[in-house]
Amino acid sequence: MTHRLRSRSALAALGATVLLAAPVTVPQAQAQADSARPATATALDWYDTTAETIAAAGATTQVTNSRTWAISWLAAARATRAVPQGVERGPYQEAALAAAVHHALVALAPDRTEQLDAALDDSLAAIPDGTAEDRGVAAGERQAERLLAARQGDGLDPGSVNAPYPVPAAGPGVWQPTPAAYAPATQYGNRLAEPFLLAEPSQYRLGPPPALGSGRYADDLAEVRAYGSADSTVRTAEQTETANFWYGSSLTLYTEPLRVALDRSTQGITGQTALVALFHVAAVDTQIATSDSKYAYGRWRPVTAIRTGDIAPDAEWTPLHNTPAHPDYPSGHTTYSGAAQGILTALAGSRTEPFDLTSPTAPGVTRTYTAWRQLSEENVDARILSGIHTRSADESGLALGETVARHTLRNADRLLGQ
């Protein structure tokens, strides 16, 4: 049998199908009133400040940090959406954005209060003093307070996210702790958390993974066995680079692409804050939905399947990268990527001018992209090349993320209009 990575054409078709499956409603309130211009300095400054805050004082769990982004920027989106009559629009929105993100971040990352206060002072110094500034600050702080209160106890703190998972008895297809650490399962608590927009974590639960005796399962396992092993003889140097590049945190890897979209946005502050807010709302809800499907099926990882399964068991097989401590199906990296692609495509267009991206897990490597789907395509291949996911887990994850993104966009006005 020849073991080749499958053509990307099927993946592209899947992405197109997901995007076109239902109409997307993009929030348009006051869009015409905002000037069509690149993102304001205030939006970019507070984007960078949010990223720096999370890098310096963020939580140990990715979804908790996505929650911080979502709360901060959703507060800003709500505060900037409606401008009181008789108040100058620009100064009001600039002040509201700065105050909302500042107020939320101080509450969620109090160790950075000094730096955040200095950033707020800088922002307000650039805005003319007066009623617009004062009322904008008040609106931003008010929306941040409301969101912080509404999300209190939502189950997305690190302790709740990593709630204990009782490992089931070993058996064919059943997830078990994986080498080398054989660590306890993580992210089980995500499926018990409160989403932002999903009716419940299981709203878009995937159908089951391929049956163990199916041809698709055999093909999946053969592919990851050949391409994902530490000593693979068929994986190319470029493919190894792809695996390394996408091995790190999705939140970290997508911070720059979202900033590129924000920097190039011509939607004014209303659209710019909504872009960041909806991206991270979708990211949170996708991570919740991912864990729901993961733990509903509890599918074993490739390393367990190859070492102990019925198909040519190899007790010495080792993946290129260490396997994360949670089930295979679906891939969390590709669900995140699918959600990101869905939001960016709807709100920033499917293509953009070339931009460069680096990765902390591939030092010295720079890659250039012109379409958000390119990131998804590489993510799908990368998890197979790392030896830590099957293609079925990756492609199903991509579809799940796109579905949650579409749901987020359809319900955006309900979320932003409060």
Side-chain angles (χ1 to χ4, degrees):
M1 180 182 292
T2 301
H3 306 297
R4 284 186 211 173
L5 280 178
R6 297 169 188 161
S7 167
R8 289 181 177 175
S9 60
L11 172 63
L14 172 65
T17 299
V18 172
L19 278 174
L20 297 175
V24 170
T25 300
V26 179
Q28 296 294 331
Q30 286 124 5
Q32 298 303 317
D34 284 331
S35 58
R37 58 193 173 94
T40 64
T42 301
L44 289 173
D45 285 348
W46 281 98
Y47 187 91
D48 293 341
T49 296
T50 307
E52 291 162 5
T53 298
I54 289 174
T60 55
T61 44
Q62 177 175 274
V63 72
T64 309
N65 294 324
S66 297
R67 173 187 185 269
T68 296
W69 274 99
I71 289 174
S72 302
W73 283 80
L74 182 53
R78 289 178 177 178
T80 58
R81 203 175 192 214
V83 179
Q85 289 186 348
V87 173
E88 191 175 355
R89 184 177 192 81
Y92 175 91
Q93 289 187 314
E94 301 272 355
L97 189 164
V101 179
H102 167 269
H103 196 80
L105 290 179
V106 166
L108 297 170
D111 290 347
R112 297 287 292 178
T113 298
E114 182 179 350
Q115 294 88 344
L116 292 166
D117 285 350
L120 181 63
D121 288 343
D122 288 345
S123 289
L124 296 182
I127 300 170
D129 293 338
T131 301
E133 180 188 56
D134 293 342
R135 294 187 68 176
V137 168
E141 292 179 348
R142 182 169 60 251
Q143 291 293 350
E145 279 294 325
R146 288 177 178 173
L147 263 170
L148 289 164
R151 298 301 301 181
Q152 185 71 28
D154 60 10
L156 291 170
D157 59 283
S160 298
V161 166
N162 287 329
Y165 172 66
V167 179
V174 178
W175 181 85
Q176 298 289 295
T178 52
Y182 294 95
T186 60
Q187 301 177 14
Y188 174 69
N190 280 0
R191 70 190 305 235
L192 310 174
E194 178 188 349
F196 277 85
L197 277 173
L198 296 180
E200 56 186 4
S202 63
Q203 182 172 357
Y204 294 111
R205 181 178 294 174
L206 293 168
L212 297 186
S214 67
R216 177 64 190 264
Y217 174 78
D219 288 347
D220 280 348
L221 205 60
E223 183 181 33
V224 73
R225 184 196 296 264
Y227 283 91
S229 67
D231 58 357
S232 173
T233 59
V234 295
R235 188 181 60 243
T236 67
E238 181 181 2
Q239 288 171 334
T240 300
E241 180 184 284
T242 297
N244 292 336
F245 194 91
W246 291 101
Y247 186 59
S249 156
S250 293
L251 177 65
T252 299
L253 287 164
Y254 272 91
T255 296
E256 181 61 22
L258 178 57
R259 191 189 192 279
V260 168
L262 175 65
D263 186 30
R264 297 174 181 180
S265 170
T266 59
Q267 296 303 309
I269 287 182
T270 299
Q272 291 155 13
T273 53
L275 168 65
V276 180
L278 294 175
F279 182 100
H280 286 288
V281 164
V284 170
D285 281 6
T286 294
Q287 289 170 85
I288 291 172
T290 298
S291 288
D292 173 77
S293 285
K294 275 184 180 289
Y295 286 100
Y297 298 113
R299 174 55 66 94
W300 59 7
R301 286 282 187 157
V303 65
T304 309
I306 293 171
R307 288 187 176 191
T308 68
D310 291 337
I311 303 176
D314 179 357
E316 302 301 319
W317 189 88
T318 301
L320 174 64
H321 291 136
N322 285 335
T323 302
H326 41 78
D328 175 56
Y329 180 87
S331 161
H333 266 60
T334 62
T335 56
Y336 192 106
S337 186
Q341 178 183 324
I343 296 296
L344 290 171
T345 298
L347 301 184
S350 61
R351 301 187 64 83
T352 187
E353 291 298 312
F355 68 93
D356 291 339
L357 188 61
T358 60
S359 167
T361 54
V365 176
T366 299
R367 292 192 161 191
T368 303
Y369 303 92
T370 57
W372 315 117
R373 64 173 175 77
Q374 294 169 338
L375 311 179
S376 297
E377 290 174 351
E378 288 192 5
N379 243 314
V380 168
D381 285 348
R383 309 310 275 174
I384 300 161
L385 297 166
S386 288
I388 58 181
H389 274 302
T390 59
R391 184 168 294 275
S392 291
D394 290 343
E395 292 184 346
S396 296
L398 183 66
L400 176 60
E402 293 270 14
T403 297
V404 175
R406 196 166 63 248
H407 179 91
T408 302
L409 293 162
R410 281 201 308 263
N411 291 278
D413 281 327
R414 174 165 64 86
L415 184 73
L416 296 172
Q418 298 183 22

